[in-house]
Amino acid sequence: MITHLRICFVLCIALFSGNVAAQYSYEFTQKIYSASDVQKLGNANWTLSTDAGYFGYDLTKGQQIGSEKNPASTLTFATSDIIGTISEVTIETSGASSIGANLTINVGNTGFGDSYQLTTTSTSHTFTGSATGKIELKYNITTGKAIYIKAIKITSSTDGGEIIITPSITKVNGIAEFSSLSNGTEALLYWSDEAKARVTYVYGKNAYIRDNSGALCLYGFDTNPAMAYNQHLVGYITGVKGMVGNMPVMQASTRTNTSMLAIASPVTEDNVLPKVISTSEFPQHYADWVTINNLTMQDTQTGLDATGFVTVVNSFNTTQYTTPEIGKIYNISGIVNSTLTSGDRLSPIYNNATTRTQNPNVNFNQEFLPISLTSGINNSSNLIVPSPAIVYDLIGRRIDPANMQKGIYIVNRKKIVK
């Protein structure tokens, strides 16, 4: 870890020492198999071998293999994609009424755990051991009935500092590598300290992240704890590469969690700032926080500068944003995002950097407002109240920036309205 970042671990992260454990899990939410076949379940390929003559799906019990009229006499699930030392295999499975069948597990052609007798109720059973190699779920069927598989969970581990991942998961370093993946690719994204991954904005379940290679939206994520502006991210997170309009996103998958990601408040690092761009640079900054200066508003949404135009939409419902007046010139700060229906847009945001409890003697207070006039008395604080700032009221008294109330001030020799 870099020395000036005091990582306050709010989540357990065991990445760099001792045994590293990883879990594979998959739940059948629809019929996947219609015959003996190889199918990708989550991020692992599973081969089904059976002589069953019927395949279906039950909402409670999962994938159905065989029926009373077309039962299976042989049934094996197998994968070679889970690597490392297997310590647990948990299967939720069941059979039809009067089922006669038991399930055994082989790992590396060796028996793993005990034998489990199926019941008519969908039940989870955990097989334990320590082995490496191909994993096989073998059903020994004595009464021809339907077999159901609802869920599979496997725990693997290894000595050393590498995360266990299946070969079908791509590992990438940084946002640029992730964004270059084909849509639909599931990947393990790693942020080192040097990547400088920071949170620029959070809206509901969408978190906007910038690192030193680009910007990305974590789309539809339930993070625990919730992310917030200015935080620093270090570690691993898994998700699927996708696009919302022209904006790259990481979509949550069944493997997505934040258990291997440290979410830390910065101590000595500078506040995250918007990047100042022109409208011609707009397509280079999807998912990023930017400021576009000197936009002459052609209407209440479309601003024109010397190189092009940009549509401003208050899609985040930012209360600090005021609708611009036609013909006036503004500086506007927001997230560059995109939708399939509305196209590209600049969505204004408000951020506020406050005193850091771990470093209270340094003034990190900084306010970032979404819109300001570029001349005359601004109807906002020109996007940023600088830190440090020299502030006077209108009768010449110097004011502590932390004590500024609503009103007109002279900030660093410029007149603003707060």
Side-chain angles (χ1 to χ4, degrees):
M1 298 291 175
I2 53 180
T3 57
H4 66 274
L5 175 63
R6 184 183 303 166
I7 295 291
C8 300
F9 282 95
V10 291
L11 299 170
C12 178
I13 177 169
L15 296 177
F16 306 107
S17 63
N19 289 334
V20 179
Q23 280 193 342
Y24 163 90
S25 62
Y26 182 82
E27 180 177 356
F28 287 93
T29 58
Q30 60 182 334
K31 183 175 78 170
I32 301 297
Y33 292 90
S34 299
S36 292
D37 197 5
V38 179
Q39 293 285 346
K40 189 174 183 179
L41 306 183
N43 50 45
N45 293 308
W46 286 83
T47 301
L48 171 64
S49 302
T50 184
D51 59 355
Y54 179 84
F55 299 82
Y57 176 78
D58 181 272
L59 185 63
T60 302
K61 293 187 171 185
Q63 170 79 49
Q64 179 181 347
I65 303 168
S67 65
E68 186 172 7
K69 293 183 178 180
N70 297 283
S73 60
T74 62
L75 197 169
T76 302
F77 264 111
T79 183
S80 298
D81 282 356
I82 312 297
I83 61 176
T85 301
I86 308 302
S87 57
E88 289 186 354
V89 178
T90 300
I91 310 296
E92 184 177 346
T93 187
S94 61
S97 178
S98 303
I99 184 65
N102 62 67
L103 171 64
T104 58
I105 304 290
N106 287 341
V107 178
N109 296 319
T110 302
F112 189 91
D114 54 1
S115 175
Y116 174 67
Q117 189 72 34
L118 271 65
T119 66
T120 58
T121 302
S122 187
T123 305
S124 292
H125 182 76
T126 298
F127 302 79
T128 60
S130 180
T132 60
K134 181 179 180 180
I135 302 169
E136 293 179 292
L137 284 58
K138 301 179 73 70
Y139 286 84
N140 178 29
I141 304 167
T142 57
T143 304
K145 299 285 184 177
I147 301 291
Y148 298 91
I149 303 177
K150 179 65 174 176
I152 303 169
K153 184 168 72 173
I154 297 169
T155 301
S156 63
S157 62
T158 188
D159 291 331
E162 276 294 315
I163 278 188
I164 311 300
I165 59 174
T166 63
S168 53
I169 290 289
T170 302
K171 182 180 177 183
V172 295
N173 297 310
I175 288 174
E177 286 189 22
F178 181 85
S179 297
S180 69
L181 298 173
S182 300
N183 291 338
T185 302
E186 188 172 22
L188 182 71
L189 170 59
Y190 174 63
W191 279 306
S192 65
D193 278 329
E194 291 72 23
K196 307 294 185 185
R198 302 285 292 276
V199 180
T200 58
Y201 189 64
V202 177
Y203 183 72
K205 293 184 178 181
N206 298 342
Y208 294 86
I209 313 299
R210 178 199 295 162
D211 69 11
N212 57 15
S213 68
L216 180 69
C217 176
L218 302 185
Y219 191 77
F221 275 49
D222 282 314
T223 60
N224 183 22
M227 292 182 184
Y229 162 65
N230 236 356
Q231 287 175 328
H232 188 119
L233 308 180
V234 177
Y236 296 81
I237 190 165
T238 301
V240 177
K241 162 65 189 318
M243 300 289 289
V244 175
N246 293 314
M247 181 177 68
V249 300
M250 174 186 277
Q251 296 171 304
S253 69
T254 56
R255 288 173 55 87
T256 300
N257 62 70
T258 53
S259 63
M260 295 183 292
L261 187 67
I263 306 172
S265 296
V267 177
T268 62
E269 295 168 296
D270 292 337
N271 294 325
V272 180
L273 305 178
K275 292 183 177 179
V276 179
I277 67 168
S278 67
T279 54
S280 65
E281 298 173 303
F282 208 72
Q284 303 168 29
H285 294 277
Y286 291 113
D288 206 354
W289 179 25
V290 304
T291 293
I292 300 179
N293 292 324
N294 301 317
L295 286 174
T296 301
M297 301 307 294
Q298 306 300 295
D299 54 48
T300 57
Q301 282 193 310
T302 304
L304 179 70
D305 70 0
T307 56
F309 68 90
V310 60
T311 300
V312 180
V313 180
N314 191 21
S315 53
F316 298 136
N317 301 311
T318 302
T319 58
Q320 294 83 0
Y321 178 74
T322 55
T323 302
E325 297 180 43
I326 297 172
K328 291 192 174 182
I329 302 173
Y330 294 88
N331 299 338
I332 300 180
S333 178
I335 299 293
V336 180
N337 60 17
S338 182
T339 69
L340 288 173
T341 56
S342 302
D344 298 344
R345 58 195 185 180
L346 179 62
S347 296
I349 67 169
Y350 170 81
N351 276 328
N352 187 25
T354 58
T355 300
R356 300 176 185 175
T357 57
Q358 312 96 327
N359 195 0
N361 296 324
V362 179
N363 183 10
F364 287 99
N365 296 343
Q366 205 165 2
E367 188 176 25
F368 304 86
L369 295 171
I371 182 168
S372 69
L373 284 167
T374 62
S375 60
I377 298 176
N378 293 348
N379 61 357
S380 71
S381 60
N382 198 26
L383 296 176
I384 300 173
V385 174
S387 177
I390 300 173
V391 180
Y392 294 92
D393 63 16
L394 291 183
I395 62 174
R397 295 177 301 183
R398 185 164 180 174
I399 304 295
D400 184 345
N403 295 328
M404 290 172 65
Q405 306 297 318
K406 290 183 179 180
I408 301 173
Y409 296 88
I410 308 299
V411 179
N412 291 353
R413 298 183 180 181
K414 293 182 180 180
K415 188 178 291 185
I416 69 165
V417 174
K418 180 175 174 64

